Amino acid sequence: MLMDFLQLNNLRGLLVGDFCKDIFIYGKCDRLSPEAPVPVFCETRRVATEGMAGNVKNNFQQFTDSFDFIFSGENCVKTRFIEQSSNQHILRVDEEFGFHEIRLPDNLQQYDYYIISDYCKGSITDNVIMEILKQKKLVFVDSKRRDLSIFDKSIIKINKKEKLKCKAVNEENLIVTLGSQGASWRNTIFETEKVEVRDVSGAGDTFFASFIAKFLTTNSFSKSIQFANKCSTSVVRKSGTSTVNLSEILR
């Protein structure tokens, strides 16, 4: 399998998307505040990683470095407070600054495929999307837009909650992740292994990146979904935003 992914080095991709820094603050909640009936959080450690499109990038880099990354949201920070003994998220604080329309390179035609990681922060505008689609090459999309019609001929990944709210035109190329149930495509459910879940943060990004890597080497929806299920299952067993470890998958 490892040799298969070496093929990706012969291709050049472009990843565009919304970026943030993910900060996970772990601590103890052993008592209530005397000032109000709220738990007192005592920090023990913190971990900082790249989130949103940054997490897609980090996961995709496990398969190839042959792609460029253009992003917006340099000052966006998502901070999660987590009770360490239970791994329970007790609070998330978002600071959303620095989003602007992404500026694409003039030589878009140089790329063999495109990846759009759209968290609907305003940086992936219709103009950006149309410029990419005009290249008439393979486009992979993960978007939180409610109307996905602009991505008509692209391969789209969304989750089951987003599916309930969105208008998707091309069901033939639509993949829906179902959490612990796996993923569905063309009315077929691809089940995944049942595991103990520690943290689902970023699991959708892992699925997305892993699916793309496998699809580019096999051109098979079913093989790529099964592989992406395996990769996302491996990261939900870990705390925080994690990236797929290819050696673990191969074992």
Side-chain angles (χ1 to χ4, degrees):
M1 183 185 293
L2 184 59
M3 295 297 294
D4 294 340
F5 292 121
L6 293 178
Q7 303 173 41
L8 295 175
N9 294 328
N10 298 322
L11 303 173
R12 191 74 189 172
L14 176 65
L15 165 61
V16 298
D18 301 312
F19 177 89
C20 77
K21 179 181 288 185
D22 280 336
I23 298 177
F24 294 83
I25 301 178
Y26 297 88
K28 300 177 180 179
C29 292
D30 296 331
R31 60 191 176 91
L32 291 178
S33 168
E35 301 154 357
V38 294
V40 175
F41 183 88
C42 296
E43 178 182 344
T44 55
R45 67 185 178 96
R46 64 174 61 199
V47 178
T49 59
E50 294 176 325
M52 298 202 291
N55 191 34
V56 176
K57 181 259 294 182
N58 290 336
N59 276 278
F60 199 54
Q61 278 181 329
Q62 307 308 306
F63 305 99
T64 180
D65 285 319
S66 183
F67 67 97
D68 294 329
F69 179 38
I70 301 175
F71 62 90
S72 179
E74 292 86 344
N75 299 316
C76 178
V77 180
K78 295 181 180 180
T79 304
R80 298 167 176 86
F81 294 83
I82 303 167
E83 205 286 315
Q84 63 183 21
S85 62
S86 63
N87 206 52
Q88 180 68 45
H89 289 223
I90 60 175
L91 179 66
R92 190 178 109 176
V93 179
D94 289 3
E95 303 169 74
E96 297 191 349
F97 304 103
F99 289 103
H100 52 79
E101 183 179 40
I102 281 178
R103 185 172 180 177
L104 296 171
D106 294 331
N107 54 343
L108 267 181
Q109 192 63 32
Q110 69 175 302
Y111 298 106
D112 299 295
Y113 61 92
Y114 307 91
I115 304 171
I116 299 175
S117 179
D118 178 20
Y119 279 75
C120 283
K121 302 300 183 182
S123 57
I124 310 293
T125 63
D126 287 356
N127 289 336
V128 169
I129 294 166
M130 294 307 298
E131 282 299 312
I132 291 175
L133 296 180
K134 279 197 309 186
Q135 309 308 312
K136 299 188 182 303
K137 294 183 180 179
L138 199 55
V139 180
F140 300 93
V141 177
D142 186 0
S143 177
K144 296 192 179 299
R145 288 185 174 218
R146 293 199 173 188
D147 185 353
L148 299 175
S149 57
I150 194 171
F151 300 116
D152 184 39
K153 298 186 184 302
S154 306
I155 296 176
I156 305 170
K157 192 282 296 183
I158 56 176
N159 63 41
K160 59 183 178 181
K161 290 183 179 179
E162 292 161 351
K163 178 65 167 64
L164 294 174
K165 299 177 182 178
C166 81
K167 172 186 176 184
V169 173
N170 191 354
E171 295 279 343
E172 293 295 297
N173 289 341
L174 180 68
I175 302 156
V176 182
T177 54
L178 307 172
S180 60
Q181 295 177 303
S184 67
W185 170 66
R186 293 188 180 182
N187 297 317
T188 299
I189 294 179
F190 295 80
E191 296 183 352
T192 191
E193 180 186 0
K194 306 299 181 186
V195 298
E196 181 181 353
V197 177
R198 287 189 60 82
D199 200 330
V200 298
S201 301
D205 298 326
T206 297
F207 182 99
F208 186 45
S210 304
F211 171 88
I212 295 168
K214 191 69 172 178
F215 189 86
L216 289 171
T217 57
T218 64
N219 201 37
S220 167
F221 275 89
S222 57
K223 289 180 181 179
S224 303
I225 292 171
Q226 290 167 350
F227 178 71
N229 272 342
K230 185 179 293 186
C231 291
S232 55
T233 296
S234 73
V235 300
V236 299
R237 301 177 184 183
K238 305 172 184 177
S239 297
T241 301
S242 302
T243 56
V244 61
N245 185 316
L246 193 51
S247 61
E248 288 181 6
I249 301 301
L250 295 177
R251 286 200 299 269

